[in-house]
């Protein structure tokens, strides 16, 4: 292939990537649709492992009298939320008619959208945490774009039901681990009991693509005496892999290659990049590499130094999926600060609080509150309604599902949590959780406390803490 042809393809990919905002409605890159079947399916529904998810049956429900955080930055005191047939019908004050709905008195309680975790390994690293269950890292090559996280997900992981009951988690993204520069595809799930991962698979959610920079890849492969063993090696391997994918996209006669199919999907803007990265300087370099190769980063995950480049992240429309207070456990996380989220919010950048933990996923609301409190201590006052968006709509945006969930708006999925108190208080917990309008958890009704098959008959069955 000559240089002009390569440049033309790269330029077209870049235009497509720049047009992608991370929302589910983002258009595909230019190209002949008749040739599309040679590459990865544009949606999970067209792929070989389509979602078979069907919402559980629900009842028309009216939550009245509660403080409502809509996930989009709005708050209503004494509000009303109506949903039926799996969708939000209306959100407003006490003047909304509740005729034909089962009315639940929410006086003194709070309502939010379902909580969304953008970074989870449930199912791929399930509990019990034993070697036989360790299926999150295909650590056999520094680039493994061909693997898909969903092919490791164990639906019976008790972590799913605990995340629902203790954390109000209604949707979550399962990512491969970070041993590799390119770890493979992620999968977005609805947090419901199912016999197969396809029964949990979020219908219409775009695929994600896990990448990692920094210490993990260079340590794993450098210790084996192979490239990469340095950060410059990380970038060299990444860049060459992208160039090979561009060649593949330009070669109509190439044999099918599962790894390159995924990479072409990323270049077309159909698969969203979630990049594990800690240091600010590396995040800046990765964004430059993305521009060179014609893709974009949807979110940097962990991103403990994101506060140093909030302006760059805002200008490039890249979210930071971060912890409230994890830092210092390795050199690249040494310069983390508790005010990370607050400084990013002050810069107008996109903030998401994530877990990366089977424990923290059960209390993302508390993690968000800790990050809010750290900001308040240095004079950055962030409203409760905005903080709720860090674990609802912002996560949905970065996962490409914000047109379907993440906020309480008419027509969106009725993914709803009724909290027994302020969700940003350590004393509060979910009282009821609905997914697509179906009541999946009720703290006051033991028959509505889900238990996985694996737990049946074992000590701690269906534990709710």
């Amino acid at each position: 292939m000559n240089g002009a042809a390569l440049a033309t393809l790269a330029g077209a990919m870049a235009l497509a990537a720049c047009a992608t905002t991370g929302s589910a409605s983002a258009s595909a890159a230019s190209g002949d649709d008749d040739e599309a079947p040679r590459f990865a399916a544009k949606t999970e529904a067209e792929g070989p492992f389509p979602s078979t998810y069907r919402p559980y049956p629900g009842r028309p429900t009216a939550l009245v009298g509660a403080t409502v955080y809509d996930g989009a930055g709005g708050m209503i005191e004494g509000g009303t939320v109506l949903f039926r047939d799996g969708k939000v019908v209306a959100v407003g004050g006490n003047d909304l008619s509740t005729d034909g709905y089962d009315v639940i008195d929410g006086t003194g309680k709070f309502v939010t959208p379902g909580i969304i975790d953008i970074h989870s390994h449930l199912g791929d690293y399930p509990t019990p945490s034993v070697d036989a269950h360790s299926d999150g890292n295909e650590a056999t090559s520094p680039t493994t774009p061909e693997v898909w996280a969903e092919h490791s997900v164990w639906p019976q992981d008790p972590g799913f039901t605990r995340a629902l009951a203790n954390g109000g988690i209604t949707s979550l993204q399962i990512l491969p681990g970070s041993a590799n520069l390119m770890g493979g595809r992620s999968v977005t799930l609805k947090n419901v009991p199912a016999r197969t991962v396809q029964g949990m698979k979020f219908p219409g959610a775009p695929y994600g693509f896990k990448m990692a920079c920094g210490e993990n890849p260079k340590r794993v492969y450098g210790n084996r005496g192979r490239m990469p063993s340095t950060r410059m090696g990380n970038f060299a391997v990444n860049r060459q892999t992208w160039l090979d994918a561009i060649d593949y996209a330009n070669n109509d006669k190439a044999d099918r290659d599962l790894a390159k199919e995924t990479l072409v999907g990323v270049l077309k803007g159909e698969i969203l990049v979630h990049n594990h990265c800690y240091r600010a300087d590396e995040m800046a370099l990765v964004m430059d590499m993305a521009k060179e190769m014609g893709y974009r980063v949807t979110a940097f995950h962990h991103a403990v130094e994101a506060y140093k480049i909030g302006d760059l992240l805002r200008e490039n429309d890249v979210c930071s999926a971060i912890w409230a207070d994890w830092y210092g456990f390795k050199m690249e996380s040494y310069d983390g600060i508790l005010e990370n989220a607050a400084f990013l919010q002050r810069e107008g950048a996109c903030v998401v609080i994530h877990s990366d933990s089977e424990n923290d996923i059960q209390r993302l609301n508390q993690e968000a509150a800790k990050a809010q409190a750290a900001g308040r201590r240095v004079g950055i006052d962030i409203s409760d309604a905005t903080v709720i968006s860090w674990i609802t709509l912002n996560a949905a945006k970065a996962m490409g599902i914000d047109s379907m969930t993440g906020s309480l708006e008419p027509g969106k999925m009725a993914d709803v949590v009724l909290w027994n108190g302020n969700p940003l208080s350590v004393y509060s917990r979910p009282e009821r959780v609905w997914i697509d309008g179906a009541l999946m958890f009720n703290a006051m009704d033991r028959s509505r406390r889900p238990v996985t098959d694996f737990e049946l008959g074992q000590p701690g069955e269906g534990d709710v803490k």
Side-chain angles (χ1 to χ4, degrees):
M1 175 182 299
N2 62 41
L6 182 59
T8 300
L9 189 283
M13 295 297 189
L15 290 173
C18 289
T20 304
T21 63
S23 81
S25 61
S27 63
S30 60
D32 187 348
D33 286 341
D34 292 337
E35 297 179 0
R38 197 176 78 82
F39 299 125
K42 293 182 179 180
T43 68
E44 60 82 21
E46 297 170 346
F49 310 101
S51 170
T52 59
Y53 168 77
R54 296 293 181 272
Y56 281 75
R59 296 274 306 165
T61 302
L63 306 179
V64 300
T67 299
V68 178
Y69 293 120
D70 65 11
M75 182 189 75
I76 304 172
E77 296 279 8
T80 300
V81 177
L82 307 178
F83 53 90
R84 69 187 311 153
D85 299 325
K87 304 292 185 183
V88 176
V89 174
V91 180
N94 58 15
D95 56 335
L96 288 176
S97 172
T98 59
D99 291 346
Y101 291 87
D102 296 343
V103 177
I104 296 175
D105 184 5
T107 303
K109 301 175 183 178
F110 289 71
V111 176
T112 69
I115 307 304
I116 299 173
D117 191 0
I118 195 175
H119 190 120
S120 176
H121 300 292
L122 291 184
D124 278 10
Y125 286 117
T127 305
S129 300
V130 296
D131 286 346
H133 279 166
S134 181
D135 290 313
N137 266 313
E138 183 57 42
T140 53
S141 169
T143 60
T144 56
E146 64 269 31
V147 303
W148 297 23
E150 65 198 78
H151 297 150
S152 285
V153 170
W154 183 45
Q156 294 184 52
D157 182 359
F160 288 120
T161 54
R162 281 161 174 71
L164 175 74
N166 297 328
I169 302 293
T170 56
S171 301
L172 63 167
Q173 178 174 222
I174 310 302
L175 294 150
S178 55
N180 298 346
L181 294 167
M182 298 178 176
R185 295 197 197 196
S186 69
V187 63
T188 296
L189 305 178
K190 302 286 283 191
N191 194 17
V192 299
R195 295 176 299 169
T196 67
V197 67
Q198 287 167 269
M200 302 174 72
K201 201 170 178 182
F202 195 118
Y207 290 109
F209 182 54
K210 174 68 176 293
M211 296 185 68
C213 59
E215 291 183 22
N216 286 13
K218 80 186 190 80
R219 182 190 71 250
V220 171
Y221 294 98
N223 286 344
R224 299 177 187 177
R226 60 173 300 183
M227 192 175 187
S229 66
T230 61
R231 282 180 164 83
M232 60 185 174
N234 286 348
F235 275 86
V237 172
N238 270 328
R239 293 175 71 213
Q240 188 59 57
T241 305
W242 286 117
L243 290 175
D244 292 346
I246 292 171
D247 282 348
Y248 176 78
N250 274 324
N251 184 357
D252 293 335
K253 297 181 180 179
D255 292 337
R256 188 178 183 190
D257 185 308
L258 294 178
K260 292 184 177 65
E261 278 190 4
T262 291
L263 296 176
V264 171
V266 173
L267 292 168
K268 287 184 174 181
E270 296 159 3
I271 298 175
L272 309 181
V273 172
H274 296 270
N275 207 132
H276 162 121
C277 214
Y278 286 75
R279 282 180 13 186
D281 58 317
E282 283 190 273
M283 286 184 266
L285 286 169
V286 166
M287 287 188 284
D288 285 342
M289 176 173 63
K291 292 172 185 175
E292 175 195 18
M293 296 300 167
Y295 71 94
R296 68 176 295 272
V297 178
T298 297
F300 284 115
H301 289 231
H302 310 336
V304 299
E305 291 188 10
Y307 66 93
K308 298 182 180 182
I309 54 168
D311 55 336
L312 295 180
L313 295 166
R314 181 192 66 243
E315 291 163 8
N316 286 277
D317 192 23
V318 180
C319 291
S320 297
I322 59 177
W323 297 293
D325 55 5
W326 288 25
Y327 70 95
F329 48 89
K330 54 182 175 177
M331 284 307 302
E332 64 185 1
S333 69
Y334 184 80
D335 219 8
I337 61 173
L338 302 181
E339 299 82 8
N340 194 13
F343 287 163
L344 287 166
Q345 184 69 44
R346 186 180 62 182
E347 288 293 327
C350 170
V351 178
V352 180
I353 302 296
H354 70 2
S355 78
D356 192 27
S357 162
E358 71 274 21
N359 295 314
D360 278 9
I361 194 174
Q362 300 178 44
R363 47 192 65 85
L364 279 183
N365 57 312
Q366 296 179 28
E367 297 301 303
K370 286 194 290 185
Q372 177 192 37
R376 187 175 294 133
R377 287 193 293 269
V378 295
I380 303 173
D381 194 11
I382 303 166
S383 71
D384 291 355
T386 296
V387 172
I388 292 298
S389 72
W390 294 352
I391 51 176
T392 56
L393 187 59
N394 285 6
K397 171 182 179 287
M399 293 160 64
I401 55 175
D402 54 306
S403 66
M404 297 179 276
T405 191
S407 58
L408 300 175
E409 299 178 61
K412 285 194 174 184
M413 295 170 169
D415 297 339
V416 184
V417 183
L418 176 66
W419 302 82
N420 62 8
N422 188 331
L424 298 178
S425 167
V426 296
Y427 299 106
S428 301
R429 57 172 298 107
E431 183 173 296
R432 306 189 198 200
V433 182
W434 291 264
I435 299 179
D436 283 308
L439 182 60
M440 304 304 297
F441 172 74
N442 184 349
M444 315 308 291
D445 180 357
R446 287 193 172 274
S447 68
R448 294 285 184 172
R449 295 183 182 180
V451 179
T452 69
D453 286 352
F454 177 78
E455 290 185 278
L456 291 175
Q458 298 196 45
E461 174 186 308
D463 185 35
V464 177
K465 297 178 180 176

